[in-house]
Amino acid sequence: MTEKILPIIQVGDVLLSPDILTECFCCDYEKCKGICCVEGDAGAPVTIEEIAEIEDALDVVWNDLSASAQAEIDKQGVAYTDRDGDLVTSIVNGKDCVFTCYHEGKCLCSLERAFRQKRSSFIKPISCALYPIREKKLGNGLTALNYNRWEVCKDARTLGNNLKLPLWKFLKEPLIRRFGEDWYEELSCTVEYLSSKNPDLKG
């Protein structure tokens, strides 16, 4: 029997890959220990506006950063252009984001930590908040959202499946931050309608 392939879902000007609606996910920080902040070969995608906000928060988090991270920021700034031409946060030793800090053997984002401690008004780049969803601007004014399946997130998939928590619900807060409450409400209504016709969708 041929496996049914679900179509791309459009909500407003946003195109979502169907696995964002069909897959379950929930970060299991106790197991992964924040490894996504140190794995990979480039930093986190950032916008020009986010770079300005990060620079404003730099004095607040400076003492939380490693000496290597401080040296890298002094050398090239908080961000650079990667080989794909995208602006990304600077990295240390070819992998660690410069804003990674460590506590009890776990990786933390110093920007988010400062925000949670009410020392800063900037939480972290939206690309980090949306992960494992990756955003891509399309030439026709549309935005594409795709699920980036990464081996280091296997524990998050296991926990998500145990909780029966779909990815689009796990990322409710950052999706609202990025696209607004009205958009998320439209997404919810779309999923409710589609799930009544397709059991693979996690409503």
Side-chain angles (χ1 to χ4, degrees):
M1 183 174 69
T2 302
E3 182 179 356
K4 183 177 180 181
I5 299 176
L6 297 174
I8 297 295
I9 311 300
Q10 181 167 356
V11 179
D13 293 330
V14 182
L15 303 178
L16 300 93
S17 62
D19 46 9
I20 292 174
L21 309 184
T22 60
E23 297 295 315
C24 289
F25 193 96
C26 183
C27 287
D28 195 341
Y29 185 63
E30 291 302 314
K31 290 187 177 179
C32 75
K33 305 184 188 304
I35 192 65
C36 62
C37 291
V38 298
E39 288 294 329
D41 57 4
V46 287
T47 64
I48 293 292
E49 293 76 18
E50 287 176 329
I51 290 174
E53 293 185 273
I54 291 171
E55 289 174 341
D56 286 342
L58 196 54
D59 287 344
V60 174
V61 302
W62 187 256
N63 291 332
D64 297 330
L65 308 182
S66 68
S68 298
Q70 292 173 347
E72 191 63 33
I73 292 172
D74 283 337
K75 177 182 176 182
Q76 73 170 14
V78 299
Y80 71 102
T81 303
D82 69 6
R83 61 190 177 196
D84 296 322
D86 298 322
L87 282 172
V88 295
T89 56
S90 294
I91 55 176
V92 179
N93 300 323
K95 59 175 187 175
D96 296 39
C97 174
V98 289
F99 294 103
T100 297
C101 60
Y102 293 87
H103 179 67
E104 297 179 349
K106 298 172 185 174
C107 305
L108 300 171
C109 172
S110 59
L111 295 168
E112 182 173 8
R113 186 184 189 187
F115 175 84
R116 301 295 181 192
Q117 295 173 343
K118 302 187 185 305
R119 295 187 290 131
S120 170
S121 61
F122 178 71
I123 180 169
K124 59 183 174 182
I126 191 63
S127 67
C128 299
L130 283 174
Y131 197 78
I133 289 179
R134 285 298 193 204
E135 177 181 345
K136 183 178 182 179
K137 292 289 187 182
L138 303 179
N140 54 4
L142 297 174
T143 296
L145 299 182
N146 293 290
Y147 171 33
N148 183 40
R149 184 179 288 269
W150 198 7
E151 178 60 23
V152 300
C153 292
K154 61 183 181 181
D155 291 319
R157 290 191 288 273
T158 298
L159 180 58
N161 281 316
N162 290 340
L163 296 174
K164 294 181 172 55
L165 180 63
L167 177 57
W168 71 276
K169 283 189 175 180
F170 170 68
L171 292 176
K172 176 179 179 179
E173 183 178 323
L175 283 169
I176 289 176
R177 173 186 162 193
R178 174 64 182 88
F179 299 107
E181 291 187 8
D182 289 344
W183 180 88
Y184 191 84
E185 180 61 28
E186 184 178 348
L187 172 62
S188 299
C189 292
T190 300
V191 175
E192 182 178 0
Y193 171 75
L194 293 175
S195 60
S196 67
K197 299 178 176 298
N198 194 316
D200 289 330
L201 291 177
K202 307 294 193 299

